[in-house]
Amino acid sequence: YCKQLYQGRVREAVVSTQSTGSFILVICLCQSQMNDHDSHNCEDKRRKLAPMTICITGAAGRIAYSLIQSLAKGDVFGHEQLLVLHLLDIEQSKEAMEGVAMEIEDMASHVVDKCIVTTSMKEAISGADVAVLIASVPHLPGMERKELLKANVRIFKETGETLERFGKRTIKVLVVANPSNTNALVCMNYAPSIPREQFTGLSMLDHNRTLAQLAPKIGATTDEVTNVVVWGNHSATMYPDISHAIVHRIDEVVRPAADLVSKEWARDTLIKSVRTRYAEIMQRRGMTTMSTGKAIADHLKYWTRGTPVGQFVSMAVPSNGAYGIAKGVFYSFPVQVNKHGDIKVVADLKVDEFSREMIDNSYIELQTEAKEALSIAEVL
């Protein structure tokens, strides 16, 4: 009985014991009974589950460094899931990667079973269940956009070809490196044997930024707000949309978030704030690593463990034609994920005239960018 209460029926316990003043006693008893049980249960599950292999490119970098901490603590795939980490970076960064591997060892993580450091894409991809593609050529001073696009198209074409030759057909691929939507498209196109739905791009960072701006504005915490959406490209045309967001505080009626802010704030201040957040942080600090690592962890957790019932999050995925976005275009949509990791675009949300314009603007930009990138890839 205590196990049932602890695993999801605590609310029933609160209701049934308030009249006797026994609430604190019941919770303490439940926790006491379950602590030892959960510890042994996790150990038993770890023995039964096959280790999950995670490939991380750009592994000597700061974003990977932030992500790995969440992985090693069991926050992403669960405390019962053993992990094998394949860390990949260029030869010049091998020594730094070895330092990262030493730190992972020093964490004495209960979930990291093994850590492999390599400069070989083939070795890193082989056997991987999940690939987190962070490595890219950064936008250097004086570099033209076309130069940047060409350099990264080369990387993701080669990555796609390696996935095609050596990757599992079931591998989940998350592209983080910018331009993430277009890089994901290139990578997917050069790994045709891997199902298209196994490729995603990161828009969770912009999703989290939207939550972080909205919640304090309406006097809520971020976990009390759900169903914000970031549409489109990870660029200055992205559209953070709160028209479907809801606020659900304990003991209060669920309310639409849009009713709690002005239309001007939602359509001007919020959009501008989310679109320029990266530039503002870069101006002050020169990097955005902690928030990006958290966003990757959130994306992977939802993708492998599912979204809560009735809730959706933002992910860049190949379009299935929803909302007038042509099939195959990598676009950030509202999605739901089941416990098996199957992603489904939430396709029945109401889109007003303003939202339609914002969605289309980002779509036009993505079409142009994709066409240019694929043309470059053909001649490389």
Side-chain angles (χ1 to χ4, degrees), residues 246-275:
I246 57 174
V247 185
H248 38 91
R249 298 186 182 95
I250 296 175
D251 299 328
E252 286 190 16
V253 176
V254 173
R255 302 182 64 184
D259 290 352
L260 304 176
V261 299
S262 68
K263 186 177 291 187
E264 291 73 23
W265 184 86
R267 294 185 174 184
D268 183 14
T269 304
L270 174 65
I271 293 175
K272 181 179 178 181
S273 178
V274 176
R275 286 176 174 177

Side-chain angles (χ1 to χ4, degrees), residues 101-169:
M102 291 169 70
E103 287 208 65
I104 293 170
E105 183 179 1
D106 290 349
M107 289 179 73
S109 168
H110 62 287
V111 297
V112 177
D113 188 47
K114 187 187 300 183
C115 182
I116 295 172
V117 170
T118 182
T119 59
S120 163
M121 175 68 77
K122 174 185 174 181
E123 183 179 7
I125 290 295
S126 296
D129 299 292
V130 176
V132 183
L133 307 182
I134 302 172
S136 66
V137 175
H139 194 170
L140 302 173
M143 179 182 283
E144 294 184 5
R145 180 182 171 282
K146 191 170 183 178
E147 292 180 277
L148 177 65
L149 189 61
K150 182 177 180 179
N152 283 306
V153 164
R154 184 185 300 276
I155 290 173
F156 285 91
K157 178 181 178 179
E158 292 175 356
T159 302
E161 291 171 339
T162 306
L163 283 164
E164 177 67 12
R165 293 181 62 193
F166 305 108
K168 287 184 174 181
R169 303 303 90 172

Side-chain angles (χ1 to χ4, degrees), residues 74-87:
D75 295 343
V76 180
F77 301 109
H79 294 277
E80 68 277 5
Q81 178 63 64
L82 286 176
L83 303 178
V84 175
L85 302 182
H86 287 189
L87 307 184

Side-chain angles (χ1 to χ4, degrees), residues 262-302:
S262 68
K263 186 177 291 187
E264 291 73 23
W265 184 86
R267 294 185 174 184
D268 183 14
T269 304
L270 174 65
I271 293 175
K272 181 179 178 181
S273 178
V274 176
R275 286 176 174 177
T276 61
R277 188 70 169 180
Y278 171 78
E280 291 179 3
I281 295 173
M282 290 297 289
Q283 184 179 9
R284 289 165 172 78
R285 189 169 182 268
M287 65 190 80
T288 60
T289 54
M290 184 163 50
S291 56
T292 306
K294 167 66 163 52
I296 298 169
D298 288 344
H299 181 112
L300 293 174
K301 183 176 180 179
Y302 287 129

Side-chain angles (χ1 to χ4, degrees), residues 187-233:
C187 189
M188 179 184 72
N189 277 11
Y190 284 90
S193 295
I194 298 175
R196 298 166 81 85
E197 58 269 21
Q198 297 298 110
F199 291 85
T200 61
L202 185 72
S203 57
M204 187 58 66
L205 178 56
D206 305 312
H207 182 103
N208 286 347
R209 285 171 173 163
T210 304
L211 281 174
Q213 296 296 313
L214 175 61
K217 179 70 176 178
I218 60 178
T221 59
T222 54
D223 62 345
E224 292 174 333
V225 182
T226 61
N227 295 359
V228 304
V229 185
V230 174
W231 302 87
N233 197 8

